[in-house]
Amino acid sequence: MLETRLSATVFALIIINKAGGLIYNKTFHEAGLNKISTNDLLVLAGTFHGVHAITARLNPIKNPAAAAGITAPAPNPAAPPGILTRPEPQSGLEVLESENFRLQCFNTMTGTKFLLFTDTAQANVDVTIRRVYELYADYVMKNPFYQLEMPVRCDMFDRKLLSYIREINSR
Amino acid sequence: MTIYSFYIFDRHTECIYSKSWLHPSLTEPPPRPISTTTTTTTTPSEPNTNTGPGRPDRRSRAARAGDDAKLIFGTVFSLRNMVRKLGGEDDAFISYRTGQYKLHYYETASSVRFVMLTDTAAPSMRNVLHQIYINLWVEYVVKNPLAPVEHKGGAGVRNELFEMGLDQFIRGLM
């Protein structure tokens, strides 16, 4: 039982900018993931950025309008003619599961990606990742010395993030 | 639960089998809306015929399906390598989910890769893919004396027993 108690853990956080560059990475739990070099991590961030774009395009339902038509044959009467309703935007990869870990990806409106690696048993990761985004907005974006799209080196962000994740990992 | 499609890739990265259970109209990309300067209303059938002389001919459904298979292979291959790099050599990529669909992956020791696309609410299909491997692939393809060792272009996979068994098995799940 001790093992399951220890297993609910956040392993690491990676932030990828909208061009696919790695701008932040932090490991919270050493035993969770393999240690990989910064160079490999940069490659990984770039690869993930590309794969994320492809996964959004792989949606097998290419024609959402027809899908709506099959489930409800009558066209939407509320929509006035001539106005095209905009379908939900395609989202890329959101959760990846493997035998040893779980990866949650949060893509912000501006294309910055937050990747949170957790144990497979971790719950409510979407809440955690949104909180991390809030911290990023508060302590990185509002830092007047932070240059956009550049690596994040903000002490306040580091400190707040660490204390937040430590609180989760010790739960 | 809805199962959208199923793919098998061999160890040479080639797609040797693919099947879709979706209605064909869903897999066609929607016709592009045509901007009109006048306020005439377009009938629904018009955009299809009105692709315009400047645009290349619409590609056949088979060619687009082939492209999809290649993209899927590239995706699962990259993700599998990423998972192995982060989680260790013994780690295995199981599935990923987007807002629209979920992709399940199973790889055998002989590097035959099974991929299944389902709706987002589907539970883990790893054991289903494993069952397909044991009960259908091994039984009807590997044990078939007439099937070649390498399935170039899907040779030996598209036999009646395998296809029927797969279709029945998948339809039983839905």
Side-chain angles (χ1 to χ4, degrees):
Chain A
M1 274 297 97
L2 184 72
E3 202 176 15
T4 52
R5 173 66 193 81
L6 281 171
S7 70
T9 320
V10 177
F11 294 150
L13 170 76
I14 285 180
I15 305 179
I16 302 173
N17 70 11
K18 60 180 165 217
L22 180 77
I23 54 170
Y24 188 79
N25 86 83
K26 190 106 200 144
T27 308
F28 306 108
H29 191 260
E30 294 293 337
L33 298 173
N34 275 5
K35 200 113 189 78
I36 59 172
S37 66
T38 316
N39 218 358
D40 282 351
L41 210 58
L42 281 165
V43 173
L44 193 139
T47 312
F48 185 84
H49 185 73
V51 168
H52 188 273
I54 295 173
T55 55
R57 289 210 32 195
L58 276 178
N59 185 6
I61 298 178
K62 301 269 193 301
N63 191 353
I70 280 179
T71 48
N76 187 4
I83 293 177
L84 295 168
T85 47
R86 193 178 288 269
E88 275 285 295
Q90 306 272 321
S91 86
L93 192 155
E94 285 176 4
V95 181
L96 180 146
E97 280 175 69
S98 89
E99 274 179 8
N100 296 356
F101 67 89
R102 192 184 127 103
L103 159 63
Q104 180 103 17
C105 172
F106 174 61
N107 194 15
T108 68
M109 294 298 270
T110 50
T112 309
K113 288 181 196 64
F114 288 75
L115 271 55
L116 204 62
F117 297 87
T118 64
D119 188 85
T120 48
Q122 184 84 21
N124 287 331
V125 187
D126 47 338
V127 179
T128 311
I129 210 159
R130 260 156 217 277
R131 178 74 188 127
V132 171
Y133 179 44
E134 268 174 42
L135 291 173
Y136 171 82
D138 279 348
Y139 299 106
V140 178
M141 297 318 279
K142 290 179 188 172
N143 182 339
F145 300 106
Y146 174 67
Q147 283 181 300
L148 280 179
E149 308 297 321
M150 294 309 264
V152 177
R153 287 200 187 83
C154 305
D155 272 351
M156 274 295 265
F157 178 62
D158 273 346
R159 251 180 288 142
K160 295 279 178 186
L161 182 69
L162 260 169
S163 68
Y164 176 59
I165 299 292
R166 198 173 295 145
E167 181 193 320
I168 289 174
N169 281 354
S170 61
R171 234 177 246 163
Chain B
M1 182 179 68
T2 320
I3 292 167
Y4 295 148
S5 52
F6 174 71
Y7 298 83
I8 303 174
F9 300 93
D10 71 357
R11 62 201 177 92
H12 306 295
T13 76
E14 196 190 342
C15 177
I16 51 175
Y17 186 80
S18 73
K19 185 161 173 65
S20 168
W21 283 271
L22 274 170
H23 193 270
S25 70
L26 300 182
T27 55
E28 295 283 333
R32 283 172 191 278
I34 295 164
S35 58
T36 44
T37 44
T38 56
T39 52
T40 52
T41 51
T42 52
T43 57
S45 66
E46 223 174 70
N48 282 326
T49 55
N50 207 357
T51 45
R55 281 181 48 188
D57 220 348
R58 294 191 119 208
R59 303 189 57 211
S60 70
R61 192 177 295 165
R64 272 202 308 271
D67 287 353
D68 267 1
K70 283 176 195 160
L71 279 178
I72 286 174
F73 185 82
T75 308
V76 295
F77 187 77
S78 306
L79 290 176
R80 181 194 82 121
N81 288 349
M82 204 177 103
V83 164
R84 283 205 179 173
K85 194 168 263 180
L86 287 167
E89 280 299 307
D90 62 327
D91 199 2
F93 164 48
I94 296 173
S95 69
Y96 76 74
R97 180 181 66 73
T98 77
Q100 281 80 34
Y101 68 97
K102 190 170 177 183
L103 181 143
H104 309 263
Y105 180 74
Y106 176 71
E107 183 177 341
T108 71
S110 52
S111 291
V112 181
R113 296 158 170 115
F114 296 83
V115 175
M116 186 181 275
L117 268 65
T118 66
D119 63 349
T120 51
S124 175
M125 301 290 272
R126 202 153 187 251
N127 46 356
V128 169
L129 291 174
H130 186 65
Q131 287 298 317
I132 290 175
Y133 170 60
I134 293 177
N135 295 331
L136 298 167
W137 176 262
V138 173
E139 287 299 319
Y140 299 137
V141 179
V142 177
K143 289 188 183 172
N144 178 4
L146 297 175
V149 181
E150 303 290 346
H151 306 279
K152 268 249 170 286
V157 188
R158 288 179 188 284
N159 67 59
E160 204 177 323
L161 278 172
F162 178 74
E163 293 213 82
M164 246 174 56
L166 181 70
D167 198 53
Q168 272 176 1
F169 184 53
I170 298 293
R171 283 186 197 281
L173 290 170
M174 286 203 265

